[in-house]
Amino acid sequence: MSNVLKKITVGNPLVNFGLWEDLEEYKKIQTPEELCNFYHKMLTKYEKRKLVYYYITVMIGFSVNTDVNAAIPNKL
């Protein structure tokens, strides 16, 4: 089992929300620790934008190869 988080290389949802600065930051991430810190920052930054928040959790789920939203009631 690997402890490395996967990055999205095609079809990043940040594009759909026009979050260009965040996307550029995401592209520069080199380590799993940086990716983890990025996700924590994004969850805090967009906690009031429910749809963006939801897709960040989807990105996290992709990174850890699981559906993290299955455990969250009333997603939207």
Coordinates of all heavy atoms in Angstrom, one line a residue:
M1 N 0.9 -1.2 0.0 CA 0.0 0.0 0.0 C 0.9 1.2 0.0 O 1.9 1.3 0.7 CB -0.9 0.0 1.2 CG -1.9 1.2 1.2 SD -3.0 1.1 2.6 CE -4.3 0.2 1.8
S2 N 0.5 2.2 -0.7 CA 1.3 3.4 -0.9 C 0.7 4.6 -0.1 O -0.5 4.7 0.1 CB 1.3 3.8 -2.4 OG 2.0 5.1 -2.5
N3 N 1.6 5.4 0.5 CA 1.2 6.6 1.2 C 1.2 7.9 0.4 O 1.1 8.9 0.9 CB 2.0 6.8 2.5 CG 1.8 5.8 3.5 OD1 0.7 5.2 3.6 ND2 2.8 5.5 4.3
V4 N 1.4 7.7 -0.9 CA 1.5 8.9 -1.8 C 0.1 9.2 -2.3 O -0.6 8.4 -2.8 CB 2.4 8.5 -3.0 CG1 2.5 9.7 -3.9 CG2 3.8 8.2 -2.5
L5 N -0.2 10.5 -2.2 CA -1.5 11.0 -2.7 C -1.3 11.2 -4.2 O -0.3 11.7 -4.7 CB -1.8 12.4 -2.1 CG -2.0 12.3 -0.6 CD1 -2.3 13.7 0.0 CD2 -3.2 11.5 -0.2
K6 N -2.4 11.0 -5.0 CA -2.4 11.2 -6.4 C -2.9 12.6 -6.8 O -3.8 13.1 -6.1 CB -3.3 10.2 -7.1 CG -2.9 8.8 -7.0 CD -3.8 7.9 -7.8 CE -5.2 7.9 -7.2 NZ -6.2 7.0 -7.9
K7 N -2.3 13.2 -7.8 CA -2.7 14.5 -8.3 C -3.6 14.3 -9.5 O -3.3 13.3 -10.3 CB -1.6 15.4 -8.7 CG -0.9 16.0 -7.5 CD 0.3 16.9 -7.9 CE -0.1 18.0 -8.8 NZ 1.0 18.9 -9.2
I8 N -4.5 15.1 -9.8 CA -5.4 15.1 -11.0 C -4.5 15.7 -12.1 O -4.0 16.9 -11.9 CB -6.7 15.9 -10.8 CG1 -7.5 15.2 -9.7 CG2 -7.4 16.0 -12.1 CD1 -8.7 16.0 -9.2
T9 N -4.4 15.0 -13.2 CA -3.6 15.6 -14.3 C -4.5 16.0 -15.5 O -4.0 16.8 -16.3 CB -2.5 14.6 -14.7 OG1 -3.2 13.3 -15.1 CG2 -1.5 14.3 -13.7
V10 N -5.7 15.5 -15.5 CA -6.6 15.8 -16.6 C -8.0 16.1 -16.0 O -8.4 15.3 -15.2 CB -6.7 14.7 -17.7 CG1 -7.7 15.0 -18.7 CG2 -5.3 14.4 -18.3
G11 N -8.6 17.1 -16.4 CA -10.0 17.4 -16.0 C -10.1 17.9 -14.6 O -11.1 17.6 -13.9
N12 N -9.2 18.7 -14.2 CA -9.2 19.3 -12.8 C -10.4 20.2 -12.6 O -10.7 21.1 -13.4 CB -7.9 20.1 -12.5 CG -7.8 20.4 -11.1 OD1 -8.7 20.9 -10.5 ND2 -6.6 20.2 -10.6
P13 N -11.3 19.9 -11.6 CA -12.5 20.7 -11.4 C -12.3 22.2 -11.1 O -13.2 23.0 -11.2 CB -13.2 20.0 -10.3 CG -12.4 18.9 -9.8 CD -11.2 18.8 -10.7
L14 N -11.1 22.5 -10.7 CA -10.8 24.0 -10.4 C -11.0 24.8 -11.6 O -11.4 26.0 -11.5 CB -9.4 24.1 -9.9 CG -9.1 23.4 -8.6 CD1 -7.6 23.5 -8.2 CD2 -9.9 23.9 -7.4
V15 N -10.8 24.3 -12.8 CA -11.0 25.0 -14.1 C -12.5 25.4 -14.2 O -12.8 26.5 -14.6 CB -10.6 24.1 -15.3 CG1 -11.0 24.7 -16.6 CG2 -9.1 23.8 -15.2
N16 N -13.4 24.5 -13.9 CA -14.8 24.7 -14.0 C -15.3 25.9 -13.2 O -16.3 26.5 -13.5 CB -15.6 23.5 -13.7 CG -15.3 22.3 -14.6 OD1 -15.0 22.6 -15.8 ND2 -15.3 21.1 -14.1
F17 N -14.6 26.2 -12.1 CA -15.0 27.3 -11.2 C -14.2 28.6 -11.5 O -14.3 29.6 -10.8 CB -14.9 26.9 -9.8 CG -15.8 25.7 -9.4 CD1 -15.3 24.5 -9.2 CD2 -17.1 25.9 -9.3 CE1 -16.1 23.4 -8.9 CE2 -18.0 24.9 -9.0 CZ -17.5 23.6 -8.8
G18 N -13.3 28.5 -12.5 CA -12.4 29.7 -12.8 C -11.4 30.0 -11.7 O -11.1 31.2 -11.5
L19 N -11.0 29.0 -11.0 CA -10.1 29.2 -9.9 C -8.6 29.1 -10.4 O -7.9 28.2 -10.0 CB -10.3 28.2 -8.7 CG -11.8 28.3 -8.2 CD1 -12.0 27.2 -7.1 CD2 -12.1 29.6 -7.6
W20 N -8.3 30.0 -11.3 CA -7.0 29.9 -12.0 C -5.8 30.0 -11.1 O -4.8 29.3 -11.3 CB -6.9 31.0 -13.1 CG -8.1 30.9 -14.0 CD1 -9.2 31.8 -14.1 CD2 -8.5 29.8 -14.9 NE1 -10.1 31.3 -15.0 CE2 -9.7 30.1 -15.5 CE3 -7.9 28.6 -15.2 CZ2 -10.3 29.3 -16.4 CZ3 -8.5 27.7 -16.1 CH2 -9.7 28.1 -16.7
E21 N -5.8 30.9 -10.1 CA -4.6 31.0 -9.2 C -4.5 29.7 -8.4 O -3.3 29.3 -8.2 CB -4.8 32.2 -8.2 CG -4.7 33.6 -8.9 CD -6.1 34.0 -9.4 OE1 -7.1 33.5 -8.9 OE2 -6.1 34.9 -10.2
D22 N -5.6 29.2 -7.9 CA -5.5 27.9 -7.2 C -5.0 26.8 -8.1 O -4.3 25.9 -7.6 CB -6.9 27.6 -6.6 CG -7.4 28.6 -5.6 OD1 -6.5 29.1 -4.8 OD2 -8.6 28.9 -5.6
L23 N -5.5 26.8 -9.3 CA -5.0 25.8 -10.3 C -3.5 25.9 -10.5 O -2.8 24.8 -10.5 CB -5.8 25.9 -11.6 CG -5.4 24.8 -12.6 CD1 -5.7 23.4 -12.2 CD2 -6.1 25.1 -13.9
E24 N -3.0 27.1 -10.7 CA -1.6 27.2 -10.9 C -0.8 26.8 -9.6 O 0.3 26.1 -9.8 CB -1.2 28.7 -11.2 CG -1.6 29.1 -12.6 CD -1.0 28.2 -13.7 OE1 0.2 27.9 -13.6 OE2 -1.8 27.8 -14.5
E25 N -1.3 27.1 -8.5 CA -0.7 26.6 -7.2 C -0.7 25.0 -7.2 O 0.3 24.4 -6.8 CB -1.4 27.2 -6.0 CG -0.8 26.7 -4.7 CD -1.5 27.3 -3.5 OE1 -2.4 28.2 -3.6 OE2 -1.2 26.8 -2.4
Y26 N -1.8 24.5 -7.6 CA -2.0 23.0 -7.6 C -1.0 22.4 -8.5 O -0.3 21.3 -8.2 CB -3.4 22.7 -8.0 CG -3.7 21.2 -8.0 CD1 -4.1 20.5 -6.8 CD2 -3.6 20.4 -9.2 CE1 -4.4 19.2 -6.8 CE2 -3.9 19.1 -9.1 CZ -4.3 18.5 -8.0 OH -4.6 17.1 -7.9
K27 N -0.8 23.0 -9.7 CA 0.2 22.4 -10.7 C 1.6 22.4 -10.2 O 2.4 21.6 -10.6 CB 0.1 23.2 -12.0 CG -1.2 23.0 -12.8 CD -1.2 23.8 -14.0 CE -2.4 23.6 -14.8 NZ -2.4 24.4 -16.1
K28 N 1.9 23.3 -9.3 CA 3.3 23.4 -8.8 C 3.6 22.5 -7.6 O 4.8 22.3 -7.2 CB 3.6 24.9 -8.3 CG 3.6 25.9 -9.4 CD 3.8 27.3 -8.9 CE 3.6 28.3 -10.0 NZ 3.7 29.7 -9.6
I29 N 2.6 21.8 -7.1 CA 2.8 20.9 -6.0 C 3.7 19.7 -6.4 O 3.4 19.1 -7.4 CB 1.4 20.4 -5.5 CG1 0.6 21.6 -4.8 CG2 1.6 19.3 -4.5 CD1 -0.8 21.3 -4.5
Q30 N 4.7 19.4 -5.5 CA 5.6 18.4 -5.8 C 5.6 17.2 -4.8 O 5.9 16.1 -5.2 CB 7.0 19.0 -5.8 CG 7.3 20.0 -6.8 CD 7.3 19.5 -8.2 OE1 7.8 18.4 -8.5 NE2 6.6 20.2 -9.1
T31 N 5.1 17.5 -3.6 CA 5.1 16.4 -2.6 C 3.7 16.1 -2.0 O 2.8 17.0 -2.1 CB 6.0 16.8 -1.4 OG1 5.4 17.9 -0.7 CG2 7.4 17.2 -1.9
P32 N 3.5 14.9 -1.4 CA 2.2 14.6 -0.8 C 1.9 15.6 0.3 O 0.8 16.0 0.5 CB 2.4 13.2 -0.3 CG 3.5 12.6 -1.1 CD 4.4 13.8 -1.5
E33 N 2.9 16.1 1.0 CA 2.7 17.0 2.1 C 2.2 18.4 1.6 O 1.3 19.0 2.2 CB 4.0 17.3 2.9 CG 4.5 16.1 3.7 CD 5.2 15.0 2.9 OE1 5.6 15.3 1.7 OE2 5.5 13.9 3.4
E34 N 2.7 18.8 0.5 CA 2.3 20.1 -0.2 C 0.8 19.9 -0.6 O 0.0 20.8 -0.5 CB 3.1 20.4 -1.3 CG 4.5 20.9 -1.0 CD 5.4 21.2 -2.2 OE1 5.0 20.7 -3.3 OE2 6.5 21.8 -2.0
L35 N 0.5 18.7 -1.2 CA -0.9 18.4 -1.6 C -1.8 18.4 -0.5 O -2.9 19.0 -0.5 CB -0.9 17.1 -2.4 CG -2.2 16.8 -3.1 CD1 -2.7 17.8 -4.0 CD2 -2.1 15.4 -3.8
C36 N -1.4 17.8 0.6 CA -2.3 17.8 1.8 C -2.5 19.2 2.3 O -3.6 19.6 2.7 CB -1.6 16.9 2.9 SG -2.6 16.7 4.4
N37 N -1.5 20.0 2.4 CA -1.6 21.4 2.9 C -2.5 22.2 1.9 O -3.3 23.0 2.4 CB -0.2 22.1 3.0 CG 0.6 21.5 4.1 OD1 0.0 21.0 5.1 ND2 1.9 21.6 4.0
F38 N -2.4 22.0 0.6 CA -3.2 22.6 -0.3 C -4.7 22.3 -0.1 O -5.5 23.2 -0.1 CB -2.8 22.2 -1.8 CG -3.7 22.8 -2.8 CD1 -3.5 24.1 -3.3 CD2 -4.7 22.0 -3.4 CE1 -4.3 24.6 -4.3 CE2 -5.5 22.5 -4.4 CZ -5.4 23.8 -4.8
Y39 N -5.0 21.0 0.1 CA -6.4 20.6 0.3 C -6.9 21.3 1.6 O -8.1 21.7 1.7 CB -6.5 19.1 0.4 CG -6.4 18.5 -1.0 CD1 -5.8 17.2 -1.1 CD2 -7.0 19.0 -2.1 CE1 -5.7 16.6 -2.3 CE2 -6.9 18.4 -3.3 CZ -6.3 17.2 -3.4 OH -6.2 16.6 -4.7
H40 N -6.1 21.3 2.7 CA -6.6 21.9 3.9 C -6.9 23.4 3.7 O -7.9 23.9 4.2 CB -5.5 21.7 5.0 CG -5.6 20.4 5.7 ND1 -6.5 20.1 6.6 CD2 -4.8 19.3 5.5 CE1 -6.3 18.9 7.0 NE2 -5.3 18.4 6.4
K41 N -6.0 24.1 3.0 CA -6.2 25.5 2.7 C -7.5 25.7 1.9 O -8.3 26.6 2.2 CB -5.0 26.1 2.0 CG -5.1 27.5 1.7 CD -4.0 28.0 0.8 CE -4.4 27.9 -0.6 NZ -3.6 28.4 -1.6
M42 N -7.7 24.9 0.9 CA -8.8 25.0 0.0 C -10.1 24.8 0.7 O -11.1 25.5 0.5 CB -8.7 24.1 -1.2 CG -7.6 24.4 -2.1 SD -7.8 26.0 -3.0 CE -9.0 25.5 -4.2
L43 N -10.2 23.8 1.6 CA -11.4 23.5 2.4 C -11.8 24.7 3.3 O -12.9 25.0 3.4 CB -11.2 22.2 3.2 CG -11.2 20.9 2.4 CD1 -10.8 19.8 3.3 CD2 -12.5 20.7 1.7
T44 N -10.8 25.3 3.8 CA -11.0 26.5 4.7 C -11.5 27.7 3.8 O -12.4 28.4 4.1 CB -9.8 26.8 5.5 OG1 -9.5 25.7 6.3 CG2 -10.0 28.1 6.4
K45 N -10.7 27.9 2.7 CA -11.0 29.0 1.9 C -12.4 29.0 1.2 O -13.0 30.0 1.1 CB -9.9 29.0 0.8 CG -10.0 30.2 -0.2 CD -8.8 30.1 -1.2 CE -8.7 31.2 -2.1 NZ -7.6 31.1 -3.1
Y46 N -12.9 27.8 0.9 CA -14.1 27.7 0.2 C -15.2 27.0 1.0 O -16.2 26.5 0.4 CB -13.9 27.0 -1.2 CG -13.0 27.8 -2.1 CD1 -11.8 27.4 -2.4 CD2 -13.5 29.0 -2.7 CE1 -11.0 28.1 -3.3 CE2 -12.7 29.7 -3.5 CZ -11.4 29.3 -3.8 OH -10.6 30.0 -4.6
E47 N -15.2 27.1 2.3 CA -16.2 26.4 3.1 C -17.6 27.0 2.9 O -18.5 26.3 3.1 CB -15.7 26.4 4.6 CG -15.7 27.8 5.2 CD -15.2 27.7 6.6 OE1 -15.3 26.7 7.3 OE2 -14.8 28.8 7.1
K48 N -17.7 28.2 2.5 CA -19.0 28.8 2.3 C -19.5 28.7 0.9 O -20.7 29.0 0.6 CB -18.9 30.3 2.7 CG -18.6 30.5 4.2 CD -19.1 31.8 4.7 CE -18.7 32.1 6.0 NZ -19.0 31.2 7.1
R49 N -18.7 28.2 0.0 CA -19.1 27.9 -1.4 C -19.3 26.4 -1.5 O -18.4 25.6 -1.9 CB -18.1 28.4 -2.4 CG -18.0 29.9 -2.5 CD -17.1 30.4 -3.5 NE -17.4 30.0 -4.8 CZ -16.7 30.3 -5.9 NH1 -15.5 30.9 -5.8 NH2 -17.1 29.9 -7.1
K50 N -20.6 25.9 -1.3 CA -20.8 24.5 -1.1 C -20.4 23.7 -2.3 O -19.9 22.6 -2.1 CB -22.3 24.3 -0.8 CG -22.7 24.8 0.6 CD -24.1 24.5 0.9 CE -24.4 24.9 2.3 NZ -25.7 24.4 2.7
L51 N -20.7 24.1 -3.5 CA -20.4 23.3 -4.7 C -18.9 23.2 -4.9 O -18.3 22.1 -5.2 CB -21.0 23.9 -5.9 CG -21.0 23.0 -7.2 CD1 -21.6 21.7 -6.9 CD2 -21.7 23.7 -8.3
V52 N -18.1 24.3 -4.7 CA -16.7 24.3 -4.8 C -16.1 23.3 -3.7 O -15.3 22.5 -3.9 CB -16.1 25.7 -4.7 CG1 -14.6 25.6 -4.6 CG2 -16.5 26.6 -5.8
Y53 N -16.6 23.5 -2.5 CA -16.2 22.7 -1.3 C -16.4 21.2 -1.7 O -15.6 20.4 -1.4 CB -17.0 23.1 -0.1 CG -16.6 22.4 1.2 CD1 -15.6 23.0 2.0 CD2 -17.1 21.2 1.6 CE1 -15.2 22.4 3.2 CE2 -16.7 20.6 2.8 CZ -15.7 21.2 3.6 OH -15.3 20.6 4.7
Y54 N -17.6 20.9 -2.2 CA -17.9 19.5 -2.6 C -16.9 18.9 -3.6 O -16.4 17.8 -3.4 CB -19.3 19.4 -3.2 CG -19.6 18.0 -3.7 CD1 -20.0 17.0 -2.9 CD2 -19.6 17.8 -5.1 CE1 -20.2 15.7 -3.4 CE2 -19.8 16.6 -5.6 CZ -20.2 15.5 -4.8 OH -20.4 14.3 -5.3
Y55 N -16.6 19.7 -4.6 CA -15.6 19.2 -5.6 C -14.2 19.2 -5.0 O -13.4 18.3 -5.5 CB -15.7 20.0 -6.9 CG -16.8 19.5 -7.7 CD1 -18.0 20.0 -7.7 CD2 -16.6 18.3 -8.5 CE1 -19.1 19.5 -8.5 CE2 -17.6 17.8 -9.3 CZ -18.8 18.4 -9.3 OH -19.8 17.8 -10.0
I56 N -13.9 20.0 -4.1 CA -12.6 19.8 -3.4 C -12.5 18.5 -2.7 O -11.5 17.7 -2.7 CB -12.3 21.0 -2.5 CG1 -12.1 22.3 -3.3 CG2 -11.0 20.7 -1.6 CD1 -12.1 23.5 -2.4
T57 N -13.6 18.1 -2.0 CA -13.7 16.8 -1.4 C -13.6 15.7 -2.4 O -13.0 14.6 -2.1 CB -14.9 16.6 -0.5 OG1 -16.1 16.7 -1.2 CG2 -14.9 17.7 0.7
V58 N -14.2 15.9 -3.6 CA -14.1 14.9 -4.7 C -12.6 14.7 -5.1 O -12.1 13.6 -5.3 CB -14.9 15.3 -5.9 CG1 -14.6 14.4 -7.1 CG2 -16.4 15.2 -5.5
M59 N -11.9 15.9 -5.2 CA -10.5 15.8 -5.5 C -9.7 15.1 -4.4 O -8.8 14.3 -4.8 CB -9.9 17.3 -5.6 CG -10.4 18.0 -6.8 SD -9.9 19.8 -6.8 CE -8.2 19.6 -7.1
I60 N -10.0 15.3 -3.2 CA -9.4 14.6 -2.1 C -9.6 13.1 -2.2 O -8.7 12.3 -2.1 CB -9.8 15.1 -0.7 CG1 -9.3 16.6 -0.5 CG2 -9.3 14.2 0.4 CD1 -10.0 17.3 0.7
G61 N -10.9 12.7 -2.5 CA -11.3 11.3 -2.7 C -10.4 10.7 -3.8 O -10.0 9.6 -3.7
F62 N -10.3 11.4 -4.9 CA -9.4 10.9 -6.0 C -8.0 10.7 -5.5 O -7.4 9.7 -5.8 CB -9.4 11.9 -7.2 CG -8.5 11.5 -8.3 CD1 -8.9 10.5 -9.2 CD2 -7.2 12.0 -8.3 CE1 -8.0 10.1 -10.2 CE2 -6.3 11.6 -9.3 CZ -6.7 10.7 -10.3
S63 N -7.5 11.6 -4.7 CA -6.1 11.5 -4.3 C -5.9 10.3 -3.4 O -4.8 9.7 -3.4 CB -5.7 12.8 -3.5 OG -5.6 13.9 -4.4
V64 N -6.9 10.0 -2.6 CA -6.7 8.9 -1.6 C -7.4 7.6 -2.1 O -7.5 6.6 -1.4 CB -7.2 9.2 -0.2 CG1 -6.3 10.3 0.4 CG2 -8.7 9.6 -0.2
N65 N -8.0 7.7 -3.3 CA -8.6 6.5 -4.0 C -9.8 6.0 -3.1 O -9.9 4.8 -2.9 CB -7.6 5.4 -4.2 CG -8.1 4.4 -5.3 OD1 -8.9 4.8 -6.1 ND2 -7.7 3.2 -5.2
T66 N -10.7 6.9 -2.7 CA -11.9 6.5 -2.0 C -12.9 7.6 -2.1 O -12.6 8.7 -2.5 CB -11.6 6.3 -0.5 OG1 -12.7 5.7 0.1 CG2 -11.2 7.5 0.3
D67 N -14.2 7.3 -1.8 CA -15.2 8.3 -1.8 C -15.4 8.9 -0.5 O -16.1 8.4 0.4 CB -16.5 7.7 -2.3 CG -17.7 8.7 -2.4 OD1 -17.4 9.9 -2.3 OD2 -18.8 8.3 -2.7
V68 N -14.8 10.1 -0.2 CA -14.9 10.7 1.1 C -16.3 11.3 1.3 O -16.7 11.6 2.4 CB -13.8 11.8 1.3 CG1 -12.4 11.2 1.3 CG2 -13.9 12.9 0.3
N69 N -17.0 11.6 0.2 CA -18.3 12.2 0.4 C -19.4 11.2 0.8 O -20.4 11.6 1.3 CB -18.8 12.8 -0.9 CG -18.0 14.1 -1.2 OD1 -17.9 15.0 -0.3 ND2 -17.4 14.2 -2.4
A70 N -19.1 9.9 0.7 CA -20.1 8.9 1.2 C -20.4 9.0 2.7 O -21.4 8.7 3.1 CB -19.6 7.5 0.9
A71 N -19.4 9.5 3.4 CA -19.6 9.7 4.9 C -20.1 11.0 5.3 O -20.3 11.3 6.5 CB -18.2 9.4 5.5
I72 N -20.3 11.9 4.3 CA -20.8 13.3 4.6 C -22.3 13.4 4.3 O -22.7 13.3 3.1 CB -20.1 14.3 3.8 CG1 -18.6 14.2 4.1 CG2 -20.6 15.7 4.2 CD1 -17.7 15.1 3.3
P73 N -23.2 13.5 5.3 CA -24.6 13.6 5.0 C -24.9 15.0 4.5 O -24.2 16.0 4.8 CB -25.3 13.4 6.4 CG -24.2 13.7 7.4 CD -22.9 13.4 6.7
N74 N -26.0 15.1 3.7 CA -26.4 16.4 3.2 C -25.3 17.2 2.5 O -24.9 18.3 2.9 CB -27.0 17.3 4.3 CG -28.2 16.6 4.9 OD1 -29.0 16.0 4.2 ND2 -28.3 16.7 6.2
K75 N -24.7 16.6 1.5 CA -23.5 17.2 0.8 C -23.8 18.6 0.3 O -22.9 19.4 0.4 CB -23.1 16.3 -0.4 CG -22.7 14.9 0.0 CD -22.5 14.1 -1.2 CE -22.6 12.6 -0.9 NZ -22.7 11.8 -2.0
L76 N -24.9 18.8 -0.3 CA -25.2 20.1 -0.8 C -26.4 20.7 -0.3 O -27.3 20.7 0.1 CB -25.3 20.1 -2.4 CG -24.0 19.7 -3.1 CD1 -24.3 19.6 -4.6 CD2 -22.9 20.7 -2.9

